[in-house]
Amino acid sequence: NVISGIGVKNTFHKLIKNPPDIYNNILDNIGPSVKHMYCFVKLKGTPEELELTSSNYWIYPHQNYEKVMEDFLEDPYEAPIPLFIAFSCMKDINWNKKYNGYSNAIILTIADYEWFREWENNKCNKRGLDYEEFKDIFGKRMIEEGLYKFFPKTKDKILHYNVATPLTTKHYIDSFEGESYGLDMNNYRLTNAIDLKPKTDIKNLYLTGQDICTLGVTGAMMGGVLTANVIMGYDSIIDIILGNNIIKDLITK
């Protein structure tokens, strides 16, 4: 058996010659998922001194989620910015032993790949001053409107920060447009894409990961469980009715 965990589009556009039409149809109707910009921050001071938290922060300027996203993508310079903030230094109990006197943060916001299209054929770290200046606009917004606002003791404590874009994601994980979560979750995927499942129409080829389950870390993990379930023969109607599955049997053993 061959198991592909690199996503449906990479599997059937880069690895498989002449893929079955069903997968071309799926890819014609389901585009890439959301893209992000990332700001990685190095801070002077321990997590305790800076009063950081182990909780993740999802920050939306108002309660209309769809409007927040639409407005920012239309006017990324002035519209309220949606943010995610996390501190891995607060999730590591040995952090202060390894990096005493320092902390770190990661800040995310959404992005449109078209903003970076002009640099897509340039090599990583060789995209020029215009690219660096452009992404720094968002880095400063993420810091000023996110990090400093919600964690004021970090102000003037930044030693270094680096901003990554969808081109960075594309470079490191070979996603087509720098998408963070593989295929998008749209109406077609939810109602018509019944062939987004572990077993493919190609003998002994299986899919796994978030493209056959749902977006994100949990979707990727459960995609692995689904694929293992199918390969080990737990995918019959009887198994479903009786609640048999590979996790249950592993725990029992």
Side-chain angles (χ1 to χ4, degrees):
N1 295 320
V2 175
I3 304 169
S4 176
I6 63 171
V8 170
K9 193 164 186 175
N10 271 328
T11 301
F12 293 107
H13 276 200
K14 294 184 177 179
L15 295 185
I16 305 296
K17 293 182 178 179
N18 303 315
D21 288 340
I22 182 60
Y23 300 108
N24 289 325
N25 188 49
I26 286 171
L27 293 170
D28 286 342
N29 286 279
I30 309 175
S33 61
V34 66
K35 297 88 178 169
H36 292 101
M37 282 182 288
Y38 309 78
C39 186
F40 303 97
V41 185
K42 180 181 179 180
L43 297 156
K44 178 66 175 177
T46 67
E48 294 76 19
E49 290 169 346
L50 301 179
E51 297 183 2
L52 307 181
T53 174
S54 61
S55 302
N56 296 334
Y57 273 54
W58 297 88
I59 300 161
Y60 303 107
H62 55 76
Q63 294 182 349
N64 189 333
Y65 173 84
E66 286 78 11
K67 183 169 174 53
V68 168
M69 299 301 180
E70 290 171 4
D71 288 351
F72 180 72
L73 290 174
E74 288 179 9
D75 184 8
Y77 298 106
E78 299 294 337
I81 185 170
L83 294 170
F84 167 90
I85 304 177
F87 305 96
S88 58
C89 56
M90 283 297 293
K91 302 174 190 292
D92 182 355
I93 61 173
N94 295 312
W95 177 271
N96 286 333
K97 293 180 182 178
K98 295 183 289 185
Y99 311 106
N100 190 33
Y102 300 96
S103 299
N104 70 342
I106 181 171
I107 316 168
L108 276 69
T109 190
I110 59 169
D112 188 332
Y113 187 76
E114 293 303 318
W115 300 346
F116 306 95
R117 182 76 68 179
E118 65 181 283
W119 298 290
E120 69 177 345
N121 294 320
N122 295 30
K123 290 184 178 180
C124 187
N125 294 322
K126 297 184 181 295
R127 298 193 177 109
L129 184 60
D130 288 348
Y131 173 75
E132 296 298 326
E133 290 177 346
F134 180 66
K135 67 178 187 176
D136 196 50
I137 292 171
F138 301 101
K140 288 177 179 176
R141 284 202 69 183
M142 286 188 266
I143 290 169
E144 293 285 345
E145 299 174 47
L147 186 64
Y148 287 168
K149 180 178 179 180
F150 294 93
F151 299 92
K153 289 203 172 182
T154 62
K155 196 170 181 64
D156 300 323
K157 298 294 184 179
I158 291 180
L159 297 174
H160 177 76
Y161 69 90
N162 187 38
V163 179
T165 73
L167 297 181
T168 316
T169 307
K170 182 178 180 180
H171 173 79
Y172 285 106
I173 68 170
D174 208 16
S175 56
F176 277 73
E177 291 190 352
E179 62 272 18
S180 299
Y181 303 119
L183 295 180
D184 195 17
M185 185 61 71
N186 61 10
N187 287 335
Y188 183 89
R189 178 170 176 174
L190 291 169
T191 58
N192 296 90
I194 59 173
D195 286 283
L196 282 180
K197 57 186 180 182
K199 192 173 183 179
T200 72
D201 289 350
I202 298 173
K203 186 178 179 181
N204 291 14
L205 175 64
Y206 294 84
L207 302 174
T208 196
Q210 56 194 355
D211 279 359
I212 62 157
C213 191
T214 189
L215 279 62
V217 174
T218 304
M221 179 185 70
M222 292 310 299
V225 173
L226 288 173
T227 303
N229 236 28
V230 170
I231 289 175
M232 298 304 293
Y234 288 87
D235 58 334
S236 70
I237 292 295
I238 294 174
D239 285 316
I240 294 171
I241 292 172
L242 295 178
N244 298 329
N245 61 74
I246 192 169
I247 299 296
K248 191 176 186 179
D249 275 6
L250 286 171
I251 291 171
T252 301
K253 291 180 179 180

